[in-house]
Amino acid sequence: MSTTSGPAGSASHPPVGIDELLERVRAGYERIEAREAYEAARAGDALLVDIRYAALREQDGLIPGAHVVERNELEWRLDPQGSHRLPEATSHGLRVVVICNEGYASSLAAQSLHQLGLHRATDLVGGFQAWRGAGLPVE
């Protein structure tokens, strides 16, 4: 029985559950609360990126000024070196706040942005629901 998988010589690792994976991912950066994200965006120090799917945006509304980027396009739209990037995605130093519905998928998305070199990427604790719950603007 082989104890290796993947490239020759790499050791096999037991599967990781999603809760443990989220814990590991979130330990790698500082997450942001709704009020702080709001203030950072107002000050021009953060780009808010809403990755919720269309049905949730239609149901619950939008955060004014947030860029809507479908999750499957996120890396292409925020990579400063990418040909399909948002006009605002000009630097790896850009502070991106990824927002999903409740703050789970956004953690994994922020980690993916870190892998692209966007070292200031983070996500919103509690997601859109926390934003709305804090009484912050929704349209």
Side-chain angles (χ1 to χ4, degrees):
M1 177 186 277
S2 174
T3 59
T4 62
S5 64
S10 66
S12 176
H13 299 284
V16 175
I18 189 61
D19 293 332
E20 184 177 343
L21 178 61
L22 277 173
E23 188 177 315
R24 288 180 187 181
V25 164
R26 289 172 174 169
Y29 64 91
E30 187 173 331
R31 300 178 78 209
I32 191 169
E33 299 286 339
R35 177 69 54 189
E36 184 183 353
Y38 173 72
E39 295 297 335
R42 283 189 53 199
D45 185 41
L47 182 72
L48 303 180
V49 178
D50 186 344
I51 63 168
R52 293 175 301 141
Y53 53 90
L56 284 176
R57 295 191 310 266
E58 291 169 10
Q59 172 185 304
D60 293 335
L62 299 168
I63 295 172
H67 293 270
V68 173
V69 177
E70 296 287 337
R71 174 61 190 99
N72 64 329
E73 298 178 356
L74 184 68
E75 291 81 359
W76 284 267
R77 304 293 282 150
L78 291 174
D79 179 2
Q81 300 171 334
S83 58
H84 300 298
R85 68 177 176 78
L86 291 173
E88 296 83 359
T90 58
S91 162
H92 284 95
L94 179 66
R95 186 178 188 194
V96 176
V97 178
V98 183
I99 303 164
C100 68
N101 194 48
E102 294 181 342
Y104 295 97
S106 57
S107 294
L108 299 176
Q111 193 249 1
S112 180
L113 295 178
H114 277 251
Q115 291 176 325
L116 285 177
L118 291 155
H119 61 276
R120 295 182 70 207
T122 188
D123 75 310
L124 184 64
V125 175
F128 179 86
Q129 297 305 321
W131 179 280
R132 186 171 61 182
L136 295 170
V138 174
E139 51 186 33

